[in-house]
Amino acid sequence: SQELEQSPQSLIVQEGKNLTINCTSSKTLYGLYWYKQKYGEGLIFLMMLQKGGEEKSHEKITAKLDEKKQQSSLHITASQPSHAGIYLCGADLLFNSGGGADGLTFGKGTHLIIQP
Amino acid sequence: GAGVSQSPRYKVAKRGQDVALRCDPISGHVSLFWYQQALGQGPEFLTYFQNEAQLDKSGLPSDRFFAERPEGSVSTLKIQRTQQEDSAVYLCASSLDWADSTSYEQYFGPGTRLTVT
């Protein structure tokens, strides 16, 4: 089963509209990372959240980690064509898995399309 | 400064061939990671280096996969006797010092797209 579930899988939004992407874990998250990926390119770091209730913003993108640290949301305000791409949440699940992988575990991604 | 670079960007290999993928991390970054990303999926962890030491290779899918970082800088991911299921984008990432703090983000390279025919 997928350790990090992202929803929706894909999203088509009219330019100028707001949108939200969710990332849910069945385990407590010790570090939740949001990345953006354009087709054929690497991942671009957006934000990292560590504390329950933490919220960070960069330009028109805001990310939150809920108090229980099992869900994060990424909110884009007044979407623009430049926001199009695949949004990935990644988490360090090491502390939860008792010695599991040292890298990040990623969700499958949310494919965002902005319609002009 | 320069980011993480990977070469080649695209590689086509015939089934059974060996391939070598190169990663140049950001200068000074102690930690280096390899991920495999299949089409339509998120990246999956393969292996992790701290300087030249390979601390975790639990994600390598088979013994055909081998990674090294002999001088603690450039890393090579080698796949022997490639199979069609090896077709994927291979991403390299580096971090300042993952063991010291996972609050240091991982910076990703553009990836190498491997197609096995």
Side-chain angles (χ1 to χ4, degrees):
Chain A
S1 64
Q2 194 76 12
E3 291 182 288
L4 285 181
E5 294 280 350
Q6 282 190 241
S7 62
Q9 286 188 323
S10 62
L11 190 56
I12 302 173
V13 172
Q14 194 171 17
E15 184 178 351
K17 298 294 185 183
N18 304 337
L19 63 106
T20 300
I21 297 168
N22 293 300
C23 176
T24 302
S25 171
S26 57
K27 302 174 180 177
T28 301
L29 299 168
Y30 292 94
L32 188 287
Y33 301 74
W34 282 101
Y35 285 87
K36 179 184 174 185
Q37 184 177 33
K38 293 209 166 184
Y39 182 75
E41 298 179 16
L43 280 63
I44 299 168
F45 173 79
L46 295 176
M47 274 171 278
M48 190 201 74
L49 305 164
Q50 284 188 304
K51 300 175 184 175
E54 187 174 11
E55 179 176 321
K56 288 187 178 177
S57 294
H58 176 67
E59 298 180 344
K60 294 185 178 180
I61 301 176
T62 300
K64 300 179 186 179
L65 182 61
D66 76 353
E67 289 289 344
K68 293 184 178 180
K69 295 172 65 175
Q70 287 192 268
Q71 185 173 41
S72 178
S73 60
L74 186 83
H75 184 77
I76 299 177
T77 305
S79 57
Q80 300 171 346
S82 60
H83 289 130
I86 300 168
Y87 289 82
L88 291 152
C89 65
D92 176 10
L93 299 180
L94 173 66
F95 294 108
N96 300 304
S97 55
D102 276 303
L104 293 177
T105 300
F106 285 91
K108 289 188 176 183
T110 294
H111 192 177
L112 174 62
I113 297 171
I114 306 295
Q115 279 186 335
Chain B
V4 179
S5 61
Q6 292 185 247
S7 61
R9 289 294 312 278
Y10 304 92
K11 177 69 180 178
V12 178
K14 290 187 177 179
R15 189 163 58 94
Q17 278 185 333
D18 297 349
V19 298
L21 312 180
R22 178 188 167 108
C23 172
D24 283 79
I26 293 173
S27 178
H29 277 195
V30 170
S31 307
L32 185 144
F33 305 80
W34 283 98
Y35 292 85
Q36 180 191 58
Q37 186 175 25
L39 191 64
Q41 303 293 317
E44 291 195 358
F45 169 80
L46 293 177
T47 187
Y48 157 59
F49 288 87
Q50 194 74 353
N51 293 305
E52 70 278 4
Q54 188 175 21
L55 298 188
D56 189 339
K57 54 182 180 179
S58 63
L60 296 176
S62 78
D63 58 8
R64 296 186 295 104
F65 286 70
F66 172 75
E68 60 182 5
R69 193 186 185 197
E71 297 178 1
S73 178
V74 171
S75 177
T76 304
L77 176 67
K78 297 179 180 178
I79 309 173
Q80 297 177 325
R81 305 181 302 283
T82 53
Q83 304 294 316
Q84 283 194 317
E85 61 262 29
D86 300 336
S87 296
V89 175
Y90 290 87
L91 295 163
C92 175
S94 71
S95 180
L96 194 59
D97 189 342
W98 193 252
D100 178 48
S101 173
T102 57
S103 62
Y104 296 133
E105 57 262 35
Q106 294 187 17
Y107 294 88
F108 283 78
T112 295
R113 182 175 295 277
L114 173 65
T115 303
V116 182
T117 60

